[in-house]
Amino acid sequence: MRETSRETTPFEQDELNILLGIAYTRTRKYGRAKDILFSVTPEDNRLKKILADALVELGDSARKIGYRKMAKECYEIALLNDPQIELGDRYLLLVRESYRIGDCDLVIRFSSRYINETHDTSRVFTKYVDCLYQEGKWATIDSLKDYFKRHGRIRDMGWALGEAMYNMAVEKMSEGKIMTAKDILEELVNEIKSPRVLLDEAYFLLGGIFEELQNPDSALDMYYKCMQTSLTPRSPLYKESVVKVRELKNEMGLN
């Protein structure tokens, strides 16, 4: 008695396609492997994980022969299918290629994943911080403060940390958290000391904070330091500091 044929289910077809893609990868038919694996869109979670592993294998093969674009696409689609997959050092390629095309969102995402998986910050630090700066992720930059200090990166990247701290202080002031803003600004001017173009502004803000705290001696000191660090006596902050110094000295009976 002849068996009745049946149609292949979507699950079975996806599984067959994935296996075919793997076979093409292992026989170095990378173009065919890419066409098949990139076209598979399984709904089953188990198949998604199998597809992700197959894409990583294809990406690794492509990377070995210098096909970085294909490797990047493989790893990205693998992550879409299995967000929990670990890529380790493969993230370095994703970070590098994403930075090259100016996609800071991806640089930040891939750098974060790399750091979480490998506990290594050094190999992505510069690109990561640059993109965090471009995207205004001040709190994340500040969270790297200890790394900046321990590894001597204030010397070359301190401008990013300093501006992040300055913007965080301004935000805290707008929220009425004066003491928090004061602590941030004092660390900026006393330890980070970068970028130089923001130091006069930081001192000026500290002057205002000390006035609010009814500490005229410290306020006066901050305004003098603002004048000392201003790039030119013609700058608005220099002139405002002169006015503040005059007012404070009058109030303190020092004139």
Side-chain angles (χ1 to χ4, degrees), residues 6-24 36-37 39-40 42 46-47 50-51:
R6 65 177 180 82
E7 292 185 1
T8 305
T9 66
F11 178 96
E12 292 171 331
Q13 188 59 58
D14 286 338
E15 187 174 34
L16 287 171
N17 283 334
I18 294 170
L19 292 173
L20 183 58
I22 293 172
Y24 279 136
I36 289 181
L37 294 177
S39 68
V40 181
R46 185 175 70 84
L47 281 185
I50 295 172
L51 174 59

mmCIF file with all atom_site columns, all heavy atoms in Angstrom, residues 6-24 36-37 39-40 42 46-47 50-51:
data_model
loop_
_atom_site.group_PDB
_atom_site.id
_atom_site.type_symbol
_atom_site.label_atom_id
_atom_site.label_alt_id
_atom_site.label_comp_id
_atom_site.label_asym_id
_atom_site.label_entity_id
_atom_site.label_seq_id
_atom_site.pdbx_PDB_ins_code
_atom_site.Cartn_x
_atom_site.Cartn_y
_atom_site.Cartn_z
_atom_site.occupancy
_atom_site.B_iso_or_equiv
_atom_site.pdbx_formal_charge
_atom_site.auth_seq_id
_atom_site.auth_comp_id
_atom_site.auth_asym_id
_atom_site.auth_atom_id
_atom_site.pdbx_PDB_model_num
ATOM 1   N N   . ARG A 1 6  ? 2.905  13.885 2.545  1.00 0.00 ? 6  ARG A N   1
ATOM 2   C CA  . ARG A 1 6  ? 2.382  15.039 3.277  1.00 0.00 ? 6  ARG A CA  1
ATOM 3   C C   . ARG A 1 6  ? 3.274  16.238 3.021  1.00 0.00 ? 6  ARG A C   1
ATOM 4   O O   . ARG A 1 6  ? 4.451  16.095 2.678  1.00 0.00 ? 6  ARG A O   1
ATOM 5   C CB  . ARG A 1 6  ? 2.314  14.756 4.773  1.00 0.00 ? 6  ARG A CB  1
ATOM 6   C CG  . ARG A 1 6  ? 3.667  14.544 5.444  1.00 0.00 ? 6  ARG A CG  1
ATOM 7   C CD  . ARG A 1 6  ? 3.507  14.342 6.945  1.00 0.00 ? 6  ARG A CD  1
ATOM 8   N NE  . ARG A 1 6  ? 4.796  14.141 7.604  1.00 0.00 ? 6  ARG A NE  1
ATOM 9   C CZ  . ARG A 1 6  ? 5.611  15.123 7.966  1.00 0.00 ? 6  ARG A CZ  1
ATOM 10  N NH1 . ARG A 1 6  ? 5.277  16.389 7.700  1.00 0.00 ? 6  ARG A NH1 1
ATOM 11  N NH2 . ARG A 1 6  ? 6.769  14.867 8.560  1.00 0.00 ? 6  ARG A NH2 1
ATOM 12  N N   . GLU A 1 7  ? 2.726  17.394 3.218  1.00 0.00 ? 7  GLU A N   1
ATOM 13  C CA  . GLU A 1 7  ? 3.484  18.617 2.998  1.00 0.00 ? 7  GLU A CA  1
ATOM 14  C C   . GLU A 1 7  ? 4.456  18.846 4.162  1.00 0.00 ? 7  GLU A C   1
ATOM 15  O O   . GLU A 1 7  ? 4.189  18.462 5.300  1.00 0.00 ? 7  GLU A O   1
ATOM 16  C CB  . GLU A 1 7  ? 2.546  19.819 2.879  1.00 0.00 ? 7  GLU A CB  1
ATOM 17  C CG  . GLU A 1 7  ? 1.683  19.802 1.633  1.00 0.00 ? 7  GLU A CG  1
ATOM 18  C CD  . GLU A 1 7  ? 0.864  21.072 1.501  1.00 0.00 ? 7  GLU A CD  1
ATOM 19  O OE1 . GLU A 1 7  ? 1.001  21.955 2.372  1.00 0.00 ? 7  GLU A OE1 1
ATOM 20  O OE2 . GLU A 1 7  ? 0.092  21.172 0.531  1.00 0.00 ? 7  GLU A OE2 1
ATOM 21  N N   . THR A 1 8  ? 5.580  19.459 3.837  1.00 0.00 ? 8  THR A N   1
ATOM 22  C CA  . THR A 1 8  ? 6.553  19.818 4.868  1.00 0.00 ? 8  THR A CA  1
ATOM 23  C C   . THR A 1 8  ? 6.015  20.979 5.683  1.00 0.00 ? 8  THR A C   1
ATOM 24  O O   . THR A 1 8  ? 5.521  21.973 5.135  1.00 0.00 ? 8  THR A O   1
ATOM 25  C CB  . THR A 1 8  ? 7.893  20.224 4.223  1.00 0.00 ? 8  THR A CB  1
ATOM 26  O OG1 . THR A 1 8  ? 8.350  19.176 3.381  1.00 0.00 ? 8  THR A OG1 1
ATOM 27  C CG2 . THR A 1 8  ? 8.936  20.525 5.282  1.00 0.00 ? 8  THR A CG2 1
ATOM 28  N N   . THR A 1 9  ? 6.111  20.879 6.996  1.00 0.00 ? 9  THR A N   1
ATOM 29  C CA  . THR A 1 9  ? 5.634  21.960 7.852  1.00 0.00 ? 9  THR A CA  1
ATOM 30  C C   . THR A 1 9  ? 6.612  23.127 7.812  1.00 0.00 ? 9  THR A C   1
ATOM 31  O O   . THR A 1 9  ? 7.796  22.951 7.480  1.00 0.00 ? 9  THR A O   1
ATOM 32  C CB  . THR A 1 9  ? 5.496  21.483 9.309  1.00 0.00 ? 9  THR A CB  1
ATOM 33  O OG1 . THR A 1 9  ? 6.788  21.186 9.828  1.00 0.00 ? 9  THR A OG1 1
ATOM 34  C CG2 . THR A 1 9  ? 4.607  20.250 9.404  1.00 0.00 ? 9  THR A CG2 1
ATOM 35  N N   . PRO A 1 10 ? 6.153  24.340 8.159  1.00 0.00 ? 10 PRO A N   1
ATOM 36  C CA  . PRO A 1 10 ? 7.063  25.497 8.207  1.00 0.00 ? 10 PRO A CA  1
ATOM 37  C C   . PRO A 1 10 ? 8.266  25.253 9.123  1.00 0.00 ? 10 PRO A C   1
ATOM 38  O O   . PRO A 1 10 ? 9.381  25.655 8.806  1.00 0.00 ? 10 PRO A O   1
ATOM 39  C CB  . PRO A 1 10 ? 6.184  26.627 8.734  1.00 0.00 ? 10 PRO A CB  1
ATOM 40  C CG  . PRO A 1 10 ? 4.801  26.246 8.296  1.00 0.00 ? 10 PRO A CG  1
ATOM 41  C CD  . PRO A 1 10 ? 4.750  24.748 8.395  1.00 0.00 ? 10 PRO A CD  1
ATOM 42  N N   . PHE A 1 11 ? 8.044  24.578 10.239 1.00 0.00 ? 11 PHE A N   1
ATOM 43  C CA  . PHE A 1 11 ? 9.134  24.255 11.160 1.00 0.00 ? 11 PHE A CA  1
ATOM 44  C C   . PHE A 1 11 ? 10.178 23.383 10.469 1.00 0.00 ? 11 PHE A C   1
ATOM 45  O O   . PHE A 1 11 ? 11.384 23.656 10.533 1.00 0.00 ? 11 PHE A O   1
ATOM 46  C CB  . PHE A 1 11 ? 8.581  23.538 12.402 1.00 0.00 ? 11 PHE A CB  1
ATOM 47  C CG  . PHE A 1 11 ? 9.635  23.130 13.390 1.00 0.00 ? 11 PHE A CG  1
ATOM 48  C CD1 . PHE A 1 11 ? 9.932  23.928 14.477 1.00 0.00 ? 11 PHE A CD1 1
ATOM 49  C CD2 . PHE A 1 11 ? 10.342 21.938 13.233 1.00 0.00 ? 11 PHE A CD2 1
ATOM 50  C CE1 . PHE A 1 11 ? 10.914 23.550 15.400 1.00 0.00 ? 11 PHE A CE1 1
ATOM 51  C CE2 . PHE A 1 11 ? 11.317 21.556 14.141 1.00 0.00 ? 11 PHE A CE2 1
ATOM 52  C CZ  . PHE A 1 11 ? 11.603 22.380 15.226 1.00 0.00 ? 11 PHE A CZ  1
ATOM 53  N N   . GLU A 1 12 ? 9.687  22.340 9.803  1.00 0.00 ? 12 GLU A N   1
ATOM 54  C CA  . GLU A 1 12 ? 10.596 21.420 9.118  1.00 0.00 ? 12 GLU A CA  1
ATOM 55  C C   . GLU A 1 12 ? 11.344 22.108 7.991  1.00 0.00 ? 12 GLU A C   1
ATOM 56  O O   . GLU A 1 12 ? 12.544 21.866 7.783  1.00 0.00 ? 12 GLU A O   1
ATOM 57  C CB  . GLU A 1 12 ? 9.819  20.217 8.590  1.00 0.00 ? 12 GLU A CB  1
ATOM 58  C CG  . GLU A 1 12 ? 9.280  19.310 9.698  1.00 0.00 ? 12 GLU A CG  1
ATOM 59  C CD  . GLU A 1 12 ? 8.326  18.256 9.166  1.00 0.00 ? 12 GLU A CD  1
ATOM 60  O OE1 . GLU A 1 12 ? 7.657  18.521 8.134  1.00 0.00 ? 12 GLU A OE1 1
ATOM 61  O OE2 . GLU A 1 12 ? 8.246  17.176 9.770  1.00 0.00 ? 12 GLU A OE2 1
ATOM 62  N N   . GLN A 1 13 ? 10.652 22.996 7.254  1.00 0.00 ? 13 GLN A N   1
ATOM 63  C CA  . GLN A 1 13 ? 11.301 23.697 6.149  1.00 0.00 ? 13 GLN A CA  1
ATOM 64  C C   . GLN A 1 13 ? 12.396 24.629 6.662  1.00 0.00 ? 13 GLN A C   1
ATOM 65  O O   . GLN A 1 13 ? 13.494 24.696 6.096  1.00 0.00 ? 13 GLN A O   1
ATOM 66  C CB  . GLN A 1 13 ? 10.265 24.501 5.356  1.00 0.00 ? 13 GLN A CB  1
ATOM 67  C CG  . GLN A 1 13 ? 10.815 25.110 4.072  1.00 0.00 ? 13 GLN A CG  1
ATOM 68  C CD  . GLN A 1 13 ? 11.355 24.048 3.130  1.00 0.00 ? 13 GLN A CD  1
ATOM 69  O OE1 . GLN A 1 13 ? 10.628 23.135 2.731  1.00 0.00 ? 13 GLN A OE1 1
ATOM 70  N NE2 . GLN A 1 13 ? 12.626 24.159 2.766  1.00 0.00 ? 13 GLN A NE2 1
ATOM 71  N N   . ASP A 1 14 ? 12.091 25.340 7.748  1.00 0.00 ? 14 ASP A N   1
ATOM 72  C CA  . ASP A 1 14 ? 13.112 26.219 8.346  1.00 0.00 ? 14 ASP A CA  1
ATOM 73  C C   . ASP A 1 14 ? 14.312 25.411 8.823  1.00 0.00 ? 14 ASP A C   1
ATOM 74  O O   . ASP A 1 14 ? 15.467 25.803 8.619  1.00 0.00 ? 14 ASP A O   1
ATOM 75  C CB  . ASP A 1 14 ? 12.511 26.999 9.524  1.00 0.00 ? 14 ASP A CB  1
ATOM 76  C CG  . ASP A 1 14 ? 11.579 28.115 9.081  1.00 0.00 ? 14 ASP A CG  1
ATOM 77  O OD1 . ASP A 1 14 ? 11.697 28.559 7.929  1.00 0.00 ? 14 ASP A OD1 1
ATOM 78  O OD2 . ASP A 1 14 ? 10.737 28.544 9.887  1.00 0.00 ? 14 ASP A OD2 1
ATOM 79  N N   . GLU A 1 15 ? 14.044 24.274 9.450  1.00 0.00 ? 15 GLU A N   1
ATOM 80  C CA  . GLU A 1 15 ? 15.123 23.436 9.952  1.00 0.00 ? 15 GLU A CA  1
ATOM 81  C C   . GLU A 1 15 ? 15.985 22.905 8.811  1.00 0.00 ? 15 GLU A C   1
ATOM 82  O O   . GLU A 1 15 ? 17.222 22.916 8.896  1.00 0.00 ? 15 GLU A O   1
ATOM 83  C CB  . GLU A 1 15 ? 14.547 22.276 10.759 1.00 0.00 ? 15 GLU A CB  1
ATOM 84  C CG  . GLU A 1 15 ? 15.601 21.432 11.465 1.00 0.00 ? 15 GLU A CG  1
ATOM 85  C CD  . GLU A 1 15 ? 14.988 20.392 12.372 1.00 0.00 ? 15 GLU A CD  1
ATOM 86  O OE1 . GLU A 1 15 ? 13.907 19.867 12.022 1.00 0.00 ? 15 GLU A OE1 1
ATOM 87  O OE2 . GLU A 1 15 ? 15.580 20.091 13.422 1.00 0.00 ? 15 GLU A OE2 1
ATOM 88  N N   . LEU A 1 16 ? 15.335 22.495 7.734  1.00 0.00 ? 16 LEU A N   1
ATOM 89  C CA  . LEU A 1 16 ? 16.083 22.002 6.572  1.00 0.00 ? 16 LEU A CA  1
ATOM 90  C C   . LEU A 1 16 ? 16.939 23.110 5.967  1.00 0.00 ? 16 LEU A C   1
ATOM 91  O O   . LEU A 1 16 ? 18.086 22.874 5.575  1.00 0.00 ? 16 LEU A O   1
ATOM 92  C CB  . LEU A 1 16 ? 15.106 21.451 5.523  1.00 0.00 ? 16 LEU A CB  1
ATOM 93  C CG  . LEU A 1 16 ? 14.447 20.105 5.856  1.00 0.00 ? 16 LEU A CG  1
ATOM 94  C CD1 . LEU A 1 16 ? 13.338 19.805 4.832  1.00 0.00 ? 16 LEU A CD1 1
ATOM 95  C CD2 . LEU A 1 16 ? 15.488 18.990 5.842  1.00 0.00 ? 16 LEU A CD2 1
ATOM 96  N N   . ASN A 1 17 ? 16.371 24.304 5.876  1.00 0.00 ? 17 ASN A N   1
ATOM 97  C CA  . ASN A 1 17 ? 17.123 25.430 5.311  1.00 0.00 ? 17 ASN A CA  1
ATOM 98  C C   . ASN A 1 17 ? 18.336 25.776 6.171  1.00 0.00 ? 17 ASN A C   1
ATOM 99  O O   . ASN A 1 17 ? 19.411 26.090 5.656  1.00 0.00 ? 17 ASN A O   1
ATOM 100 C CB  . ASN A 1 17 ? 16.213 26.652 5.161  1.00 0.00 ? 17 ASN A CB  1
ATOM 101 C CG  . ASN A 1 17 ? 15.285 26.531 3.965  1.00 0.00 ? 17 ASN A CG  1
ATOM 102 O OD1 . ASN A 1 17 ? 15.590 25.836 2.998  1.00 0.00 ? 17 ASN A OD1 1
ATOM 103 N ND2 . ASN A 1 17 ? 14.137 27.194 4.031  1.00 0.00 ? 17 ASN A ND2 1
ATOM 104 N N   . ILE A 1 18 ? 18.162 25.756 7.484  1.00 0.00 ? 18 ILE A N   1
ATOM 105 C CA  . ILE A 1 18 ? 19.286 26.042 8.378  1.00 0.00 ? 18 ILE A CA  1
ATOM 106 C C   . ILE A 1 18 ? 20.386 25.000 8.191  1.00 0.00 ? 18 ILE A C   1
ATOM 107 O O   . ILE A 1 18 ? 21.575 25.328 8.086  1.00 0.00 ? 18 ILE A O   1
ATOM 108 C CB  . ILE A 1 18 ? 18.822 26.090 9.842  1.00 0.00 ? 18 ILE A CB  1
ATOM 109 C CG1 . ILE A 1 18 ? 17.882 27.279 10.062 1.00 0.00 ? 18 ILE A CG1 1
ATOM 110 C CG2 . ILE A 1 18 ? 20.024 26.211 10.786 1.00 0.00 ? 18 ILE A CG2 1
ATOM 111 C CD1 . ILE A 1 18 ? 17.183 27.279 11.420 1.00 0.00 ? 18 ILE A CD1 1
ATOM 112 N N   . LEU A 1 19 ? 19.992 23.735 8.142  1.00 0.00 ? 19 LEU A N   1
ATOM 113 C CA  . LEU A 1 19 ? 20.966 22.658 7.948  1.00 0.00 ? 19 LEU A CA  1
ATOM 114 C C   . LEU A 1 19 ? 21.666 22.786 6.600  1.00 0.00 ? 19 LEU A C   1
ATOM 115 O O   . LEU A 1 19 ? 22.877 22.541 6.492  1.00 0.00 ? 19 LEU A O   1
ATOM 116 C CB  . LEU A 1 19 ? 20.274 21.297 8.063  1.00 0.00 ? 19 LEU A CB  1
ATOM 117 C CG  . LEU A 1 19 ? 19.757 20.938 9.465  1.00 0.00 ? 19 LEU A CG  1
ATOM 118 C CD1 . LEU A 1 19 ? 18.936 19.644 9.403  1.00 0.00 ? 19 LEU A CD1 1
ATOM 119 C CD2 . LEU A 1 19 ? 20.905 20.797 10.449 1.00 0.00 ? 19 LEU A CD2 1
ATOM 120 N N   . LEU A 1 20 ? 20.907 23.196 5.587  1.00 0.00 ? 20 LEU A N   1
ATOM 121 C CA  . LEU A 1 20 ? 21.511 23.400 4.267  1.00 0.00 ? 20 LEU A CA  1
ATOM 122 C C   . LEU A 1 20 ? 22.501 24.554 4.308  1.00 0.00 ? 20 LEU A C   1
ATOM 123 O O   . LEU A 1 20 ? 23.600 24.478 3.728  1.00 0.00 ? 20 LEU A O   1
ATOM 124 C CB  . LEU A 1 20 ? 20.415 23.669 3.228  1.00 0.00 ? 20 LEU A CB  1
ATOM 125 C CG  . LEU A 1 20 ? 20.873 23.843 1.774  1.00 0.00 ? 20 LEU A CG  1
ATOM 126 C CD1 . LEU A 1 20 ? 21.632 22.608 1.294  1.00 0.00 ? 20 LEU A CD1 1
ATOM 127 C CD2 . LEU A 1 20 ? 19.676 24.143 0.875  1.00 0.00 ? 20 LEU A CD2 1
ATOM 128 N N   . GLY A 1 21 ? 22.138 25.620 5.017  1.00 0.00 ? 21 GLY A N   1
ATOM 129 C CA  . GLY A 1 21 ? 23.043 26.764 5.152  1.00 0.00 ? 21 GLY A CA  1
ATOM 130 C C   . GLY A 1 21 ? 24.331 26.379 5.858  1.00 0.00 ? 21 GLY A C   1
ATOM 131 O O   . GLY A 1 21 ? 25.424 26.794 5.465  1.00 0.00 ? 21 GLY A O   1
ATOM 132 N N   . ILE A 1 22 ? 24.209 25.573 6.904  1.00 0.00 ? 22 ILE A N   1
ATOM 133 C CA  . ILE A 1 22 ? 25.394 25.099 7.620  1.00 0.00 ? 22 ILE A CA  1
ATOM 134 C C   . ILE A 1 22 ? 26.282 24.265 6.692  1.00 0.00 ? 22 ILE A C   1
ATOM 135 O O   . ILE A 1 22 ? 27.513 24.407 6.687  1.00 0.00 ? 22 ILE A O   1
ATOM 136 C CB  . ILE A 1 22 ? 24.973 24.274 8.854  1.00 0.00 ? 22 ILE A CB  1
ATOM 137 C CG1 . ILE A 1 22 ? 24.289 25.179 9.889  1.00 0.00 ? 22 ILE A CG1 1
ATOM 138 C CG2 . ILE A 1 22 ? 26.185 23.572 9.475  1.00 0.00 ? 22 ILE A CG2 1
ATOM 139 C CD1 . ILE A 1 22 ? 23.660 24.427 11.050 1.00 0.00 ? 22 ILE A CD1 1
ATOM 140 N N   . ALA A 1 23 ? 25.633 23.423 5.890  1.00 0.00 ? 23 ALA A N   1
ATOM 141 C CA  . ALA A 1 23 ? 26.392 22.582 4.956  1.00 0.00 ? 23 ALA A CA  1
ATOM 142 C C   . ALA A 1 23 ? 27.149 23.442 3.947  1.00 0.00 ? 23 ALA A C   1
ATOM 143 O O   . ALA A 1 23 ? 28.324 23.173 3.636  1.00 0.00 ? 23 ALA A O   1
ATOM 144 C CB  . ALA A 1 23 ? 25.444 21.625 4.232  1.00 0.00 ? 23 ALA A CB  1
ATOM 145 N N   . TYR A 1 24 ? 26.503 24.481 3.445  1.00 0.00 ? 24 TYR A N   1
ATOM 146 C CA  . TYR A 1 24 ? 27.173 25.385 2.501  1.00 0.00 ? 24 TYR A CA  1
ATOM 147 C C   . TYR A 1 24 ? 28.354 26.095 3.178  1.00 0.00 ? 24 TYR A C   1
ATOM 148 O O   . TYR A 1 24 ? 29.410 26.278 2.567  1.00 0.00 ? 24 TYR A O   1
ATOM 149 C CB  . TYR A 1 24 ? 26.187 26.412 1.951  1.00 0.00 ? 24 TYR A CB  1
ATOM 150 C CG  . TYR A 1 24 ? 25.326 25.897 0.811  1.00 0.00 ? 24 TYR A CG  1
ATOM 151 C CD1 . TYR A 1 24 ? 23.955 26.168 0.762  1.00 0.00 ? 24 TYR A CD1 1
ATOM 152 C CD2 . TYR A 1 24 ? 25.891 25.168 -0.231 1.00 0.00 ? 24 TYR A CD2 1
ATOM 153 C CE1 . TYR A 1 24 ? 23.171 25.714 -0.290 1.00 0.00 ? 24 TYR A CE1 1
ATOM 154 C CE2 . TYR A 1 24 ? 25.121 24.704 -1.285 1.00 0.00 ? 24 TYR A CE2 1
ATOM 155 C CZ  . TYR A 1 24 ? 23.754 24.975 -1.305 1.00 0.00 ? 24 TYR A CZ  1
ATOM 156 O OH  . TYR A 1 24 ? 22.994 24.514 -2.345 1.00 0.00 ? 24 TYR A OH  1
ATOM 157 N N   . ILE A 1 36 ? 20.743 31.637 1.989  1.00 0.00 ? 36 ILE A N   1
ATOM 158 C CA  . ILE A 1 36 ? 19.772 30.771 2.671  1.00 0.00 ? 36 ILE A CA  1
ATOM 159 C C   . ILE A 1 36 ? 19.563 31.206 4.116  1.00 0.00 ? 36 ILE A C   1
ATOM 160 O O   . ILE A 1 36 ? 18.429 31.407 4.569  1.00 0.00 ? 36 ILE A O   1
ATOM 161 C CB  . ILE A 1 36 ? 20.217 29.302 2.605  1.00 0.00 ? 36 ILE A CB  1
ATOM 162 C CG1 . ILE A 1 36 ? 20.058 28.779 1.171  1.00 0.00 ? 36 ILE A CG1 1
ATOM 163 C CG2 . ILE A 1 36 ? 19.405 28.447 3.581  1.00 0.00 ? 36 ILE A CG2 1
ATOM 164 C CD1 . ILE A 1 36 ? 20.437 27.339 0.987  1.00 0.00 ? 36 ILE A CD1 1
ATOM 165 N N   . LEU A 1 37 ? 20.642 31.375 4.854  1.00 0.00 ? 37 LEU A N   1
ATOM 166 C CA  . LEU A 1 37 ? 20.504 31.685 6.277  1.00 0.00 ? 37 LEU A CA  1
ATOM 167 C C   . LEU A 1 37 ? 19.883 33.058 6.516  1.00 0.00 ? 37 LEU A C   1
ATOM 168 O O   . LEU A 1 37 ? 19.148 33.249 7.485  1.00 0.00 ? 37 LEU A O   1
ATOM 169 C CB  . LEU A 1 37 ? 21.860 31.589 6.973  1.00 0.00 ? 37 LEU A CB  1
ATOM 170 C CG  . LEU A 1 37 ? 22.475 30.186 7.035  1.00 0.00 ? 37 LEU A CG  1
ATOM 171 C CD1 . LEU A 1 37 ? 23.852 30.230 7.681  1.00 0.00 ? 37 LEU A CD1 1
ATOM 172 C CD2 . LEU A 1 37 ? 21.566 29.223 7.809  1.00 0.00 ? 37 LEU A CD2 1
ATOM 173 N N   . SER A 1 39 ? 17.630 34.348 4.737  1.00 0.00 ? 39 SER A N   1
ATOM 174 C CA  . SER A 1 39 ? 16.217 34.325 4.340  1.00 0.00 ? 39 SER A CA  1
ATOM 175 C C   . SER A 1 39 ? 15.336 33.568 5.334  1.00 0.00 ? 39 SER A C   1
ATOM 176 O O   . SER A 1 39 ? 14.109 33.650 5.271  1.00 0.00 ? 39 SER A O   1
ATOM 177 C CB  . SER A 1 39 ? 16.068 33.684 2.951  1.00 0.00 ? 39 SER A CB  1
ATOM 178 O OG  . SER A 1 39 ? 16.383 32.297 2.998  1.00 0.00 ? 39 SER A OG  1
ATOM 179 N N   . VAL A 1 40 ? 15.955 32.842 6.263  1.00 0.00 ? 40 VAL A N   1
ATOM 180 C CA  . VAL A 1 40 ? 15.177 32.052 7.224  1.00 0.00 ? 40 VAL A CA  1
ATOM 181 C C   . VAL A 1 40 ? 14.693 32.947 8.358  1.00 0.00 ? 40 VAL A C   1
ATOM 182 O O   . VAL A 1 40 ? 15.474 33.683 8.958  1.00 0.00 ? 40 VAL A O   1
ATOM 183 C CB  . VAL A 1 40 ? 16.024 30.898 7.804  1.00 0.00 ? 40 VAL A CB  1
ATOM 184 C CG1 . VAL A 1 40 ? 15.192 30.067 8.776  1.00 0.00 ? 40 VAL A CG1 1
ATOM 185 C CG2 . VAL A 1 40 ? 16.556 30.012 6.685  1.00 0.00 ? 40 VAL A CG2 1
ATOM 186 N N   . PRO A 1 42 ? 12.541 31.908 11.353 1.00 0.00 ? 42 PRO A N   1
ATOM 187 C CA  . PRO A 1 42 ? 11.756 30.967 12.157 1.00 0.00 ? 42 PRO A CA  1
ATOM 188 C C   . PRO A 1 42 ? 10.993 31.647 13.283 1.00 0.00 ? 42 PRO A C   1
ATOM 189 O O   . PRO A 1 42 ? 11.427 32.672 13.815 1.00 0.00 ? 42 PRO A O   1
ATOM 190 C CB  . PRO A 1 42 ? 12.820 30.017 12.710 1.00 0.00 ? 42 PRO A CB  1
ATOM 191 C CG  . PRO A 1 42 ? 14.061 30.836 12.758 1.00 0.00 ? 42 PRO A CG  1
ATOM 192 C CD  . PRO A 1 42 ? 13.991 31.753 11.576 1.00 0.00 ? 42 PRO A CD  1
ATOM 193 N N   . ARG A 1 46 ? 13.547 27.544 19.565 1.00 0.00 ? 46 ARG A N   1
ATOM 194 C CA  . ARG A 1 46 ? 14.656 26.584 19.459 1.00 0.00 ? 46 ARG A CA  1
ATOM 195 C C   . ARG A 1 46 ? 15.357 26.730 18.123 1.00 0.00 ? 46 ARG A C   1
ATOM 196 O O   . ARG A 1 46 ? 16.594 26.727 18.050 1.00 0.00 ? 46 ARG A O   1
ATOM 197 C CB  . ARG A 1 46 ? 14.140 25.155 19.622 1.00 0.00 ? 46 ARG A CB  1
ATOM 198 C CG  . ARG A 1 46 ? 15.254 24.108 19.639 1.00 0.00 ? 46 ARG A CG  1
ATOM 199 C CD  . ARG A 1 46 ? 14.699 22.725 19.922 1.00 0.00 ? 46 ARG A CD  1
ATOM 200 N NE  . ARG A 1 46 ? 13.911 22.226 18.815 1.00 0.00 ? 46 ARG A NE  1
ATOM 201 C CZ  . ARG A 1 46 ? 14.432 21.608 17.745 1.00 0.00 ? 46 ARG A CZ  1
ATOM 202 N NH1 . ARG A 1 46 ? 15.747 21.450 17.636 1.00 0.00 ? 46 ARG A NH1 1
ATOM 203 N NH2 . ARG A 1 46 ? 13.653 21.160 16.790 1.00 0.00 ? 46 ARG A NH2 1
ATOM 204 N N   . LEU A 1 47 ? 14.570 26.910 17.070 1.00 0.00 ? 47 LEU A N   1
ATOM 205 C CA  . LEU A 1 47 ? 15.167 27.094 15.752 1.00 0.00 ? 47 LEU A CA  1
ATOM 206 C C   . LEU A 1 47 ? 15.897 28.428 15.652 1.00 0.00 ? 47 LEU A C   1
ATOM 207 O O   . LEU A 1 47 ? 16.917 28.528 14.957 1.00 0.00 ? 47 LEU A O   1
ATOM 208 C CB  . LEU A 1 47 ? 14.091 27.009 14.664 1.00 0.00 ? 47 LEU A CB  1
ATOM 209 C CG  . LEU A 1 47 ? 13.619 25.613 14.251 1.00 0.00 ? 47 LEU A CG  1
ATOM 210 C CD1 . LEU A 1 47 ? 12.652 25.712 13.086 1.00 0.00 ? 47 LEU A CD1 1
ATOM 211 C CD2 . LEU A 1 47 ? 14.798 24.721 13.880 1.00 0.00 ? 47 LEU A CD2 1
ATOM 212 N N   . ILE A 1 50 ? 19.291 27.854 16.982 1.00 0.00 ? 50 ILE A N   1
ATOM 213 C CA  . ILE A 1 50 ? 20.094 27.075 16.036 1.00 0.00 ? 50 ILE A CA  1
ATOM 214 C C   . ILE A 1 50 ? 20.537 27.959 14.876 1.00 0.00 ? 50 ILE A C   1
ATOM 215 O O   . ILE A 1 50 ? 21.687 27.902 14.428 1.00 0.00 ? 50 ILE A O   1
ATOM 216 C CB  . ILE A 1 50 ? 19.295 25.865 15.524 1.00 0.00 ? 50 ILE A CB  1
ATOM 217 C CG1 . ILE A 1 50 ? 18.994 24.898 16.676 1.00 0.00 ? 50 ILE A CG1 1
ATOM 218 C CG2 . ILE A 1 50 ? 20.055 25.142 14.415 1.00 0.00 ? 50 ILE A CG2 1
ATOM 219 C CD1 . ILE A 1 50 ? 18.054 23.772 16.305 1.00 0.00 ? 50 ILE A CD1 1
ATOM 220 N N   . LEU A 1 51 ? 19.616 28.796 14.387 1.00 0.00 ? 51 LEU A N   1
ATOM 221 C CA  . LEU A 1 51 ? 19.947 29.725 13.305 1.00 0.00 ? 51 LEU A CA  1
ATOM 222 C C   . LEU A 1 51 ? 21.028 30.706 13.752 1.00 0.00 ? 51 LEU A C   1
ATOM 223 O O   . LEU A 1 51 ? 21.973 30.996 12.993 1.00 0.00 ? 51 LEU A O   1
ATOM 224 C CB  . LEU A 1 51 ? 18.699 30.484 12.856 1.00 0.00 ? 51 LEU A CB  1
ATOM 225 C CG  . LEU A 1 51 ? 18.913 31.595 11.819 1.00 0.00 ? 51 LEU A CG  1
ATOM 226 C CD1 . LEU A 1 51 ? 19.539 31.050 10.538 1.00 0.00 ? 51 LEU A CD1 1
ATOM 227 C CD2 . LEU A 1 51 ? 17.589 32.312 11.513 1.00 0.00 ? 51 LEU A CD2 1
#
